[in-house]
Amino acid sequence: MPPRGVKKGTKRARQYEHIKKSAKEQGASTDRAEEIAARTVNKERARSGESRTRSRTSTKDLSSSRRGGLRSGTNRAKGRTKEQLYAEARNLGVKGRSKMNKAQLQRAVAGKKR
């Protein structure tokens, strides 16, 4: 079942079914495939202004189709954006984070996690 706000027969409903089928073919469970499809469709709706609410990452981050598994739920340092690293550094209490670039934030976050 497509996410709320997506009508049957629309482009987004077809997109949802296509993504769900693809995720199932890659070995995801039915529940996981539905979650992946719903999140992807919701993000695309937010990016194109079709939804009432949207998160900053939905509109500012890479599009789902462009990302194509670059980050795909991993916790590897390479996979996080500078904004995500900055937020984590703030949560960990890293000093001087506002002047750091992405590589410096990665090292600082990795060092604090140990």
Side-chain angles (χ1 to χ4, degrees):
M1 176 189 326
R4 289 175 53 191
V6 176
K7 294 180 175 58
K8 287 184 180 180
T10 63
K11 174 183 177 180
R12 297 294 177 213
R14 291 190 306 274
Q15 181 183 34
Y16 171 85
E17 293 301 330
H18 176 76
I19 294 166
K20 181 178 160 184
K21 179 182 172 203
S22 177
K24 295 247 333 157
E25 287 172 358
Q26 293 175 16
S29 69
T30 303
D31 287 344
R32 181 68 177 141
E34 288 175 355
E35 181 182 355
I36 291 168
R39 285 175 184 247
T40 304
V41 168
N42 283 336
K43 182 168 185 168
E44 292 305 316
R45 288 180 66 224
R47 291 181 69 81
S48 62
E50 296 171 27
S51 63
R52 288 186 197 167
T53 59
R54 56 190 111 345
S55 69
R56 182 178 302 144
T57 54
S58 285
T59 55
K60 301 285 184 198
D61 203 9
L62 292 173
S63 73
S64 305
S65 57
R66 167 67 181 91
R67 187 179 66 199
L70 290 177
R71 289 198 294 276
S72 65
T74 64
N75 232 3
R76 295 172 298 154
K78 142 184 184 225
R80 291 177 283 177
T81 64
K82 183 180 178 189
E83 289 76 21
Q84 290 169 325
L85 288 164
Y86 182 86
E88 189 168 351
R90 183 178 56 225
N91 291 338
L92 293 171
V94 174
K95 300 282 185 202
R97 63 186 173 269
S98 64
K99 292 182 171 62
M100 292 182 184
N101 62 27
K102 182 176 177 178
Q104 292 167 328
L105 283 168
Q106 287 173 331
R107 286 192 297 273
V109 167
K112 279 281 193 172
K113 281 192 167 184
R114 285 186 204 155

